[in-house]
Amino acid sequence: MASKAERKRQHILKSGTKFILEHDFNALTLDAVANYAGISKGGLLYHFPNKDELLKGLADYVFEQYTNLFYEYAANDPADKGKWTRSLIQVSKWDLENNAKLNIGIMATSMLDPNMTKEMSKGYQHMQSKIEQDKLDPVDASIIRLAIDGLYYSQLLNMAPLQKDLREKVIARLIDMTK
């Protein structure tokens, strides 16, 4: 069972995530998150001594959810061939639909401080190795991953994103390519 301090830390991270999704990344302040979480600013500062640490904590928290869901989708896939690649497609779709505002802020912050996303980079590299060993041609699996990355970032950055109907058809085609 998690300690009281760890439960409070998780509460702050969950609250910070919800705050950003309800408001905007630019509205994120230590005071705003403390108020939203219903704790004192001192309580927040105990876990996150500054905004940069809170941002890193939020990035890690969101990526942990992403990683857990990646493994969950793969574990629930009855077909062994292509399951990791399908899982990556599904978790990327979920993340885009649920965390877009948060991810834009994390991406912008990580451009200023690449150390912030060092662990996420390692985790994503691990996912790449999983899809390369997915009983698919590794080149095909990598092309699928790069296509899903392109879909993801074109929508996230609002750079000629596809309409929802076409995006869903592209995702379905990518999933078909894993079978």
Side-chain angles (χ1 to χ4, degrees), residues 6 8 31 38 61 83 95 119 130 140 143 151-152:
E6 183 55 30
K8 189 170 191 177
D31 287 321
Y61 176 73
K83 73 179 182 179
D95 193 49
E119 289 304 310
K130 286 285 203 190
D140 291 341
I143 289 169
L151 274 173
Y152 184 89

Side-chain angles (χ1 to χ4, degrees), residues 12 15-16 19-20 23-37 41 44-45 48 50-52 54-55 58:
I12 293 167
S15 297
F19 177 84
I20 293 168
H23 296 92
D24 187 75
F25 191 81
N26 294 323
L28 181 77
T29 65
L30 295 175
D31 287 321
V33 173
N35 288 335
Y36 191 85
K41 185 174 179 182
L44 185 138
L45 290 172
F48 303 100
N50 55 52
K51 188 174 178 179
D52 287 344
L54 177 60
L55 292 172
L58 288 169

Side-chain angles (χ1 to χ4, degrees), residues 123-147:
Y124 206 67
Q125 183 58 47
H126 176 72
M127 290 177 191
Q128 173 66 27
S129 69
K130 286 285 203 190
I131 67 167
E132 287 175 8
Q133 300 166 19
D134 207 10
K135 299 181 181 167
L136 299 172
D137 180 301
V139 172
D140 291 341
S142 295
I143 289 169
I144 293 167
R145 188 215 107 191
L146 293 170

Side-chain angles (χ1 to χ4, degrees), residues 2-11 13 47:
S3 69
K4 183 177 178 181
E6 183 55 30
R7 286 192 308 272
K8 189 170 191 177
R9 186 176 193 285
Q10 290 298 313
H11 173 68
L13 293 170
H47 296 279

